[in-house]
């Protein structure tokens, strides 16, 4: 059928072949027939052939080579889907001969115009690496190049490639660190997981331990309890506020100052706790656990508890991690204690893990409720779970002294349980508890001695015997009797029981040799002929030790000391005790064993490495800074600048070269210009003003805003086309998500949408030459940054009456705060040479909720330099900046065609 | 990352395998079968099983084990979450995710898996994108395809893949523009013997079915957003607006999706809509046990409690139950000892009850545990937490959509201990 001319027949044949592959049947002998169809026009046939090829090419290398040329042709196809899929298949064919071809293809695709193809190239890197590890150096070059890529689509895949090929080359990340942090929220979820895990490791090498001052006091779980408790009760936005205020507060409290990049990472990952993808939530949780200051780790608890509603497999993994966390940071999960209560419908493995968490969470205050819960669990039908519960009770009892007696009594009651497993488990746990304070409990020991008649579980029997032997002085009457019974049944016992019988005999012989001498001899004789060599050895050893003979040396004198030495009580510990040296959420952590390819989580460095390695060359930047953000204190100005360079939004104005001149103005506000790039200018240039201003919190807003804008892109297609006609620079034809010139109507709606403000020009009525399109409002001061005061401005496109050279800027002040704002005026104007500003008249009073308007004039000197000044109220000063888009610097003039030609001729 | 995937059915046969890297022999699954045998219940198979050279990570859905083979360190949740996404996609495509459905559509399954993973790393998992790449099989399309010879594989790269709204496909057109939102709340509770609540919490989701033309931008606001304590969003929701204004603003995916899931803060007292009076006793020495159960509504705000289903795992010693329901029907499975009683609607005037005797194994001593009772119910047109949607607005498109919001309360893990 494959040789047929009809596509439908071919398709049918391929479908059958694929079905064979799916069932695991060998279809390799069809290879020649299938390979012929690799150039088939029908896309479905083609895809199925690809599936086949990828599966069998490894086995039939020579024949597979026949298909290579098709892929090479495909790599040049104008359709990006075909380019990408050709690369995908080419790189998936594991044939060593084509390594050079693959290398070439990857290099080419890495600089492809389409981000989708670049993404595929990133995927191809680990494939090639696994095929031929010698290509590593070349591949690292490609990875380096792709790491610099600014699209969200590529980021996840390339970090994945980085992790597989060269996780040790942490230096490659430096330059891209901030970009990755900022892009993170827009990356697809799988990429997020990989990036977050990588950044955790990175941060461990680059930043200082935020808990360094507390680490001395740490481990005292009682102390920080209240601390966390209060943290949990707070609402989220409160927490947010607190976070913002926190850094300075912390700085006051102790000398440690968090690196701004460290803070950036924590801040940008926090929203991802809200992700629907459990893996992302877990990744963020482990990041916070490993990197955040103690006070902030609490935020992850809520999200993790939420995951417990998910599928049981997810629960299983999450509970494992929670169990580890609860050992270190118990307070974090205490408010959620009840979420770990067990339902009879939970699978056993989940029950056991929840029990573990409950045990870890137990403390003096909540132990009574927990024990009451445990009492219910003991009645469960699931016996494995009951056994685990009993052990949990034992652990609670050892950890919390107050309840030890209650627990012990409860456990003793369980000894009369009908289920043997329960009794046995209790015996084992009681034995451990009794070891802590044996003298008080001789009656319990007596009771247990009686149990030897009934209990058959070897471990329990062994435990009882050990107890009796150890404390035979407390039960002098019963002990020999027990030994007598045991001697009788010796041959039928399990090995561990036999060993304990020998032990018991030896101890009794030493303390009470009159009564037990014969019995001991008898037992030892039995043991001598046992099948198990361990038992024979033990018997021989003990006989030499305790029975004084002429040959026996000095040791037998000390026999009593040897056997009846005081033994330290066992410490009942959580099996999750030391797991936190593995990165949480990792496979290695889950298995408590190092998995292949696991990257150790490095310890914090003693001293922070040079933070400037993360600085990036500034190409062009626009920025206005509002209230001094926390990180300006310790970071250099350059750092701030490049932060937004990394934003994808700007990244695509690659045609531009305009270096920032005003960026180095003295004030904290740096600004730059975007010269060139004609058509996009009005869009991206003006946008940047809108989105760039504001302070720390604003920056987050801005990401969001950017996102909005990107989303609008689709609708924008048409206007973009029109703008393109005017464009001075050729615009890249491939669709790329970054360039988003926003036309006025959209951003208008966006602004209204966001601010709930009307756009109507209240003061100036539209003049005759007013341009037809609506005015665009820019944001000068966001209401969050401005502490309630928000300012917007637009270029009213009116002549500014006091000075014809100035551009009129219409400002609109809104007081969103609850109190009045007084004395609004501007100060400290910083301008480039030649520029002039006519300040707006001072606004005396702006009552709460009111809006006021004012007009100011700026002579930009026909440049697009920003005008920086301070906006002052009676209490506060805000650094703001106005930057004009090119289009706003012009005044509409009416020209006839002839006049226009004349003018043109002159210039 | 993910090396291979094996699908194993309830009887332990591998009925589908897919490899993304070099072929891994299916004998690796023997370790899985071993673990399966060791586990008493199907859900007790550990999700992660280490073997000498590989690690097996499995999920159980619809009685099918999805076993992923991995070779090196990878976050286990990453794999688990992905496998669940695979199941969801299958369900989305075929309506059900059963062995038969997968076998019937093995080619589509293969094509899907090929698109979802590249070299073991997830590539496209959004169902909107996948549907553009590979069209879901319908009877009509199969017929058209056989006649015209066209395929159900898209030729163009889905635009969503490249855009920043990867969850929405472009060029959506509907004649009736509709947006439906279902607010579904589930009560998880444990009630103790005496009828007092040990723990109760409300978990809710908002599922949406949006069929709107073009690129609509929706905002949804609540009357009382403070109720929502912990939320997780579909990626389409703008997080910052939620943080700042407590408004859900999003460009919706096309079709059905889960917009939001939330948790109502535990400070609020949870109204428990039903109560249970129970008396289950076994007498020492006799081979009879008494069973008496009465249900009643409370705190339902006048709404009827519907689709009530009571189930209980009776002790192993129970041989049979001879009960008499005042309404509905009951079944008792003597093998699994599962008693289930389909009550239907609770009539407040005449409370439903189930009374009778249980026969125990002769000679066996009385079971020392009491069975716990699981209850399922539904209450229409009410969200038990009191959450109310204030309004839904649409921007970015000109037409007027039809909007609908439905509330429902269900029992989640609702357990009464006896």
């Amino acid at each position: 059928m494959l040789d047929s001319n009809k596509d439908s027949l071919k398709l049918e044949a391929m479908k059958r072949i694929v079905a064979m592959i799916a069932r695991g049947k060998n279809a390799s002998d069809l290879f020649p027939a299938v390979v012929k169809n690799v150039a088939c026009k029908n896309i479905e046939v083609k895809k199925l052939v690809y599936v086949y090829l990828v599966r069998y090419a490894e086995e039939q290398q020579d024949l597979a080579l026949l298909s290579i040329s098709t892929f090479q042709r495909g790599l040049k196809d104008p359709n990006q889907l075909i380019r990408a899929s050709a690369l995908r298949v080419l790189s998936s064919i594991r044939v060593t001969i084509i390594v050079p071809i693959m290398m070439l293809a990857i290099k080419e695709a890495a600089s492809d115009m389409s981000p989708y193809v670049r993404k595929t190239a990133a995927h191809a890197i680990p494939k090639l690496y696994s095929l031929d590890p010698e290509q590593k150096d070349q591949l690292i070059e490609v990875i380096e190049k792709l790491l610099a890529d600014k699209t969200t689509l590529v980021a996840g895949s390339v970090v994945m490639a980085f992790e597989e090929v060269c996780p040790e080359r942490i230096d490659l990340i430096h330059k891209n660190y901030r970009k990755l942090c900022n892009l993170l929220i827009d990356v697809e979820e799988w990429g997020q997981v990989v990036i977050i895990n990588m950044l955790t490791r990175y941060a461990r090498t680059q930043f200082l331990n935020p808990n360094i001052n507390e680490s001395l006091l740490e481990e005292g779980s009682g102390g920080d309890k209240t601390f966390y408790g209060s943290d949990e009760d707070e609402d989220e936005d409160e927490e947010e506020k607190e976070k913002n205020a926190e850094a300075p507060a912390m700085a006051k409290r102790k000398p440690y100052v968090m690196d701004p990049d460290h803070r950036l990472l924590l801040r940008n990952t926090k929203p991802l706790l809200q992700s629907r993808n459990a893996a992302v939530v877990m990744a963020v949780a482990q990041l916070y656990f490993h990197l955040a200051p103690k006070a902030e780790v609490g935020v992850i608890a809520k999200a993790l508890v939420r995951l417990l509603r998910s599928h049981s497999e997810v629960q299983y993994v999450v509970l494992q991690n929670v169990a580890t966390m609860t050992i270190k940071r118990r307070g974090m999960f205490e408010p959620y204690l009840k979420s770990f209560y067990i339902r009879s419908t939970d699978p056993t493995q989940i029950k056991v893990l929840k029990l573990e968490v409950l045990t870890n969470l137990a403390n003096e205050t909540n132990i009574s409720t927990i024990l009451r819960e445990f009492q219910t669990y003991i009645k469960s039908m699931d016996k494995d779970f009951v056994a685990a519960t009993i052990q949990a009770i034992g652990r609670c009892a050892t950890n919390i002294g107050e309840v030890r007696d209650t627990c012990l009594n409860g456990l003793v009651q369980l000894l009369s349980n009908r289920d043997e497993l329960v009794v046995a488990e209790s015996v084992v746990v009681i034995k451990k508890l009794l070891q802590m304070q044996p003298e008080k409990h001789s009656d319990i020991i007596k009771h247990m001695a009686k149990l030897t008649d009934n209990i058959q579980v070897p471990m329990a029997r062994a435990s009882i015997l050990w107890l009796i032997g150890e404390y035979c002085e407390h039960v002098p009457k019963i002990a020999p009797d027990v030994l007598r019974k045991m001697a009788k049944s010796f041959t039928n016992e399990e090995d561990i029981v036999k060993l304990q019988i020998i032990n018991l005999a030896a101890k009794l012989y030493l303390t009470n040799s009159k009564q037990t001498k014969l019995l001991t001899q008898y037992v030892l004789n039995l043991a001598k002929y046992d099948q198990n060599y361990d038992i024979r050895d033990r018997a021989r050893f003990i006989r030499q030790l305790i029975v004084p003979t002429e040959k026996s040396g000095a040791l037998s004198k000390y026999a009593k000391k040897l056997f009846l030495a005081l033994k330290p009580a066992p410490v009942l510990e959580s099996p999750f005790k030391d797991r936190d040296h593995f990165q949480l959420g990792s496979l290695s952590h889950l298995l408590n064993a190092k998995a292949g390819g696991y990257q150790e989580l490095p310890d914090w460095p003693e001293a922070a490495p040079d933070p400037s390695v993360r600085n990036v060359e500034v190409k062009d930047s626009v920025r206005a800074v509002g209230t001094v953000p926390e990180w300006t204190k310790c970071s250099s100005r350059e750092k701030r600048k490049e932060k937004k360079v990394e934003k994808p939004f700007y990244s695509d104005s690659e045609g531009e070269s305009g270096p920032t001149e005003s960026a180095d103005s003295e004030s904290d506000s740096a600004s730059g210009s975007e010269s060139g790039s004609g058509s996009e200018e009005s869009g991206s240039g003006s946008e940047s003003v809108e989105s760039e201003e504001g302070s720390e919190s604003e920056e987050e807003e801005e990401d969001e805003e950017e996102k909005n804008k990107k989303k609008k892109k689709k609708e924008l297609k048409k206007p973009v086309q029109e703008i393109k006609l005017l464009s001075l620079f050729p615009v890249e034809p491939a669709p790329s998500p970054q360039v988003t010139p926003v036309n006025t109507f959209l951003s208008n709606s966006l602004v209204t949408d966001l601010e709930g403000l009307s756009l109507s020009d209240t003061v100036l009525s539209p003049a005759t030459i007013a341009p037809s399109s609506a005015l665009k409002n820019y944001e000068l001061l966001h209401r969050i940054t401005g502490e309630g005061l928000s300012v917007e401005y637009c270029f009213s496109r009116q002549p500014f009456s006091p000075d014809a050279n100035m551009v009129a800027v219409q400002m609109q002040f809104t007081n969103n705060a609850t109190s009045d704002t007084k004395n609004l005026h501007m100060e400290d104007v910083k301008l480039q040479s030649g520029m002039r500003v006519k300040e707006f008249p001072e606004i005396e009073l702006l009552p709460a909720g009111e809006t006021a308007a004012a007009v100011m004039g700026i002579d930009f000197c026909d440049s697009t330099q920003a005008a920086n000044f301070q906006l002052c109220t009676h209490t506060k000063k805000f650094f703001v900046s106005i930057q004009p888009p090119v289009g706003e610097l012009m005044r509409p003039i009416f020209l006839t065609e002839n006049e226009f030609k004349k003018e043109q001729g002159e210039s | 990352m993910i090396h291979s995937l094996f699908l194993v059915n309830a009887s332990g046969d591998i009925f589908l395998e897919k490899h993304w890297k070099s072929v891994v022999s299916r004998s690796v699954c023997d370790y899985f079968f071993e673990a399966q045998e060791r586990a008493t219940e199907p859900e007790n198979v550990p999700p992660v099983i280490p073997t000498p050279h590989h690690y097996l990570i499995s999920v159980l859905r619809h009685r099918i084990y999805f076993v992923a083979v991995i070779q090196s360190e990878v976050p286990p949740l990453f794999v688990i979450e992905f496998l669940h996404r695979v199941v969801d996609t299958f369900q989305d495509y075929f309506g059900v995710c059963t062995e038969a459905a997968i076998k019937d559509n093995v080619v589509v399954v293969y094509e899907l898996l090929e698109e979802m993973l590249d070299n073991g790393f997830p590539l496209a998992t959004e169902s909107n994108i996948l549907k553009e790449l590979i069209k879901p099989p319908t009877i009509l399309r199969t017929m058209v395809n056989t006649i015209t010879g066209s395929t159900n594989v898209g030729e163009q790269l889905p635009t969503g893949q490249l855009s920043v709204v990867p969850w929405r496909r472009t060029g959506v057109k509907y004649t009736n523009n509709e947006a439906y939102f279902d607010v579904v709340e589930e009560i998880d509770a444990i009630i103790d013997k005496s009828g007092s609540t040990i723990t109760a919490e409300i978990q809710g989701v908002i599922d949406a079915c949006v069929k709107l033309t073009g690129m609509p931008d929706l905002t949804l606001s609540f009357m009382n957003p403070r109720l929502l304590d912990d939320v997780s969003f579909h990626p389409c929701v703008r997080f910052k607006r939620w943080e700042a204004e407590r408004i859900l603003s999003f460009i919706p995916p096309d079709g059905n999706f889960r917009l939001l899931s939330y948790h109502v803060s535990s400070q609020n007292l949870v109204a428990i809509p039903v109560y249970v009076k129970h008396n289950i006793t076994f007498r020492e020495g006799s081979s009879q046990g008494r069973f008496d159960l009465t249900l009643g509504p409370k705190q339902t705000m006048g709404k009827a409690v519907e689709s009530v289903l009571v189930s209980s795992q009776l002790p192993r010693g129970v041989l049979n139950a001879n009960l008499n329901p005042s309404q509905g029907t009951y079944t008792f499975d003597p093998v699994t000892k599962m008693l289930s009683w389909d009550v239907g609607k609770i009539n407040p005037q005449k409370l439903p009850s189930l009374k009778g005797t249980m026969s125990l194994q002769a000679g066996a001593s009385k079971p020392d545990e009491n069975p716990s009772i699981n209850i399922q119910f539904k209450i229409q047109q009410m969200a038990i937490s009191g959450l109310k949607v204030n309004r839904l607005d649409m921007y970015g498109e000109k037409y007027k959509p039809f909007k609908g919001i439905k509330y429902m309360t269900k029992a989640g893990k609702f357990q009464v201990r006896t």
Side-chain angles (χ1 to χ4, degrees), chain A residues 764-819:
Chain A
L764 300 174
S765 57
T768 41
I769 51 165
S772 51
S773 65
L775 296 176
K776 179 169 165 54
N777 266 14
Y778 304 100
E779 197 176 51
L780 190 61
L781 188 63
H782 191 266
R783 66 184 165 83
I784 295 174
T785 331
E787 296 174 359
L789 179 69
S790 72
V791 185
E792 293 190 4
Y793 67 94
C794 63
F795 296 94
S796 59
R797 304 187 188 168
Q798 305 285 332
F800 188 63
S801 46
D803 189 332
N805 282 332
M806 287 194 178
V807 179
V809 181
Q810 166 83 31
M811 326 257 284
Q812 184 153 348
F813 302 89
T814 311
N815 189 356
N816 298 315
T818 45
S819 60

Side-chain angles (χ1 to χ4, degrees), chain A residues 314-334:
Chain A
V314 176
Q315 285 184 40
Y316 176 78
V317 178
V318 172
L319 282 169
Q320 294 251 2
N321 287 295
V322 169
T324 309
M325 288 186 199
T326 44
I327 289 172
K328 263 257 157 100
R329 309 269 160 89
R330 180 199 298 164
M332 202 162 85
F333 288 96
E334 241 165 59

Side-chain angles (χ1 to χ4, degrees), chain A residues 825-888:
Chain A
H825 64 281
M826 51 194 278
E827 243 178 38
D828 199 14
V829 184
K830 296 224 164 59
L831 297 172
Q832 292 301 299
S833 59
M835 284 168 67
R836 291 171 301 131
V837 163
K838 172 80 181 145
E839 294 172 10
F840 62 85
E842 182 173 320
I843 298 172
E844 299 281 346
L845 177 71
L846 186 59
E850 293 288 301
T851 303
V855 184
M856 66 183 287
I858 307 175
D859 182 359
F860 285 104
C861 261
D862 292 341
S863 75
T864 50
Q865 307 287 3
N868 303 310
F869 56 89
Q870 283 184 12
L871 196 63
C872 305
T873 68
H874 62 299
T875 50
K876 272 266 173 188
K877 291 182 179 183
F878 304 105
F879 292 101
V880 292
S881 150
I882 294 180
Q883 193 196 23
V886 166
E888 299 290 1

Side-chain angles (χ1 to χ4, degrees), chain A residues 37 69 161 175 210 308 458 500 538 811 858 860:
Chain A
N37 288 304
S69 63
K175 292 245 177 291
L308 294 182
Q500 288 308 328
R538 179 76 64 94
M811 326 257 284
I858 307 175
F860 285 104

Side-chain angles (χ1 to χ4, degrees), chain A residues 622-626 650 686-702 705 778-783 785 791-793 879-883:
Chain A
V622 191
R623 174 159 200 93
V625 186
Y650 305 95
S686 54
E687 274 310 306
S688 49
V689 176
E690 178 185 297
S691 58
E692 273 306 325
E693 52 191 33
S695 69
E696 207 49 16
S697 62
E698 173 63 350
E699 199 164 285
E700 293 176 33
E701 200 93 296
E702 159 197 306
E705 222 160 280
Y778 304 100
E779 197 176 51
L780 190 61
L781 188 63
H782 191 266
R783 66 184 165 83
T785 331
V791 185
E792 293 190 4
Y793 67 94
F879 292 101
V880 292
S881 150
I882 294 180
Q883 193 196 23

Side-chain angles (χ1 to χ4, degrees), chain A residues 88 309 588 596 704 708, chain B residues 26 73 85 114 188 238:
Chain A
R88 250 182 87 181
R309 282 276 299 169
S588 308
E704 166 66 16
N708 290 351
Chain B
R26 45 164 79 194
E73 171 65 44
R85 204 62 69 81
E114 188 72 27
D188 289 354
R238 292 172 189 129

Side-chain angles (χ1 to χ4, degrees), chain A residues 540-607:
Chain A
R540 218 167 292 141
F541 158 71
I542 285 179
R543 188 192 292 275
Q544 290 302 318
L545 211 53
I546 58 173
V547 185
T549 53
E550 64 281 5
K551 266 189 280 171
S552 70
L555 259 181
S556 57
K557 280 183 224 153
Y558 300 105
K560 199 162 182 174
K561 265 193 188 158
L562 280 175
F563 279 105
L564 297 173
L566 207 60
K567 282 136 192 124
V571 188
L572 296 177
E573 268 184 346
S574 163
F576 290 88
K577 184 95 195 328
D578 278 325
R579 285 217 193 165
D580 63 333
H581 63 269
F582 287 115
Q583 187 169 1
L584 284 183
S586 67
L587 185 62
S588 308
H589 169 265
L590 188 82
L591 299 170
N592 202 14
K594 210 164 153 181
Y598 173 74
Q599 295 289 320
E600 288 283 352
L601 195 62
D603 277 334
W604 294 101
E606 290 291 315

Side-chain angles (χ1 to χ4, degrees), chain A residues 15 18-19 21-24 42-44 47-48 51 55 58 79-81 88 94 115-116 119 123 126-127 153 160 164 189-191 193-194 197 235-237 240 271 274-279 282 302-303 306 309 311 313-318 338-339 341-345 347-349 373 376-377 379-381 383 417-418 585-588 590-591 594-598 700-701 704 708 710-712 714-715 737 753-754, chain B residues 1 16-17 20-23 26 43-48 50 55 58-61 70 72-78 80-82 84-85 106-107 110-111 114-115 117-119 121-123 125-126 151-153 155-157 161-165 167 170 186 188-190 198-199 201 203 215 217 226 229-236 238-241 243 246 251 313-316 365-366 368-369 372 374 396 413 415 417:
Chain A
K15 280 185 173 171
V18 167
I21 299 175
R23 280 200 303 273
N42 183 312
I43 196 134
E44 190 167 10
K47 275 204 166 171
L48 296 178
V51 169
R55 171 70 177 77
E58 208 173 4
N79 183 338
Q80 46 180 340
L81 182 62
R88 250 182 87 181
R94 291 166 294 271
Y116 184 69
K119 184 187 174 76
H123 279 275
K127 295 185 209 169
L153 205 57
M160 183 65 230
E164 290 215 358
E189 34 197 5
W190 311 109
V193 178
V194 178
N197 280 326
D235 269 326
E236 253 184 56
D237 31 2
E240 191 63 45
Q274 245 76 39
S275 173
R276 63 167 172 173
N277 188 322
M282 190 65 232
K302 202 187 270 180
R306 185 184 69 229
R309 282 276 299 169
H311 302 285
E313 295 88 3
V314 176
Q315 285 184 40
Y316 176 78
V317 178
V318 172
K338 287 190 171 174
S339 307
Y341 280 5
I342 295 157
R343 294 183 160 77
S344 61
T345 41
T348 311
Q349 46 186 349
E373 267 299 298
T376 346
Y377 300 161
K379 292 190 194 126
S380 164
M381 285 177 235
K383 291 305 166 213
N417 194 296
R418 221 170 307 113
S586 67
L587 185 62
S588 308
L590 188 82
L591 299 170
K594 210 164 153 181
Y598 173 74
E700 293 176 33
E701 200 93 296
E704 166 66 16
N708 290 351
K710 282 191 226 154
K711 284 173 193 158
K712 305 276 182 195
K714 288 271 162 51
E715 304 156 49
D753 187 347
L754 279 171
Chain B
M1 291 215 143
L16 189 118
E17 61 179 74
W20 282 274
K21 300 184 185 180
S22 306
V23 177
R26 45 164 79 194
E43 62 261 30
N44 273 335
V45 178
V48 182
Y55 302 94
S58 62
V59 304
L60 173 68
R61 288 272 297 265
I70 55 170
S72 57
E73 171 65 44
V74 59
L77 267 186
F78 185 99
I80 290 172
E81 188 73 22
F82 176 78
H84 281 301
R85 204 62 69 81
V106 69
V107 175
Y110 238 68
E111 283 168 348
E114 188 72 27
E115 288 303 330
L117 278 183
D118 180 13
N119 194 34
F121 190 75
L123 194 62
T125 48
E126 283 297 337
T151 69
N152 61 350
V153 175
E155 309 218 352
Q156 279 297 322
L157 180 65
Q161 178 75 290
L162 285 173
S163 79
V164 285
V165 243
W167 52 85
T170 46
E186 294 193 353
D188 289 354
I190 302 177
I198 293 178
T199 160
E201 46 191 28
Q203 310 274 354
M215 249 318 151
D217 195 337
R226 288 242 141 223
D229 179 36
D230 182 38
V231 281
S232 76
F233 301 117
H234 189 273
C236 69
R238 292 172 189 129
F239 182 70
K240 288 296 160 208
R241 277 206 75 188
E243 281 283 89
R246 301 270 147 182
I251 294 176
Q313 172 83 52
L314 296 183
R316 245 163 281 160
S365 52
K366 108 181 169 53
D368 48 4
E369 70 262 338
S372 59
N374 293 305
K413 297 171 179 167
Q415 193 160 85
R417 291 176 179 164

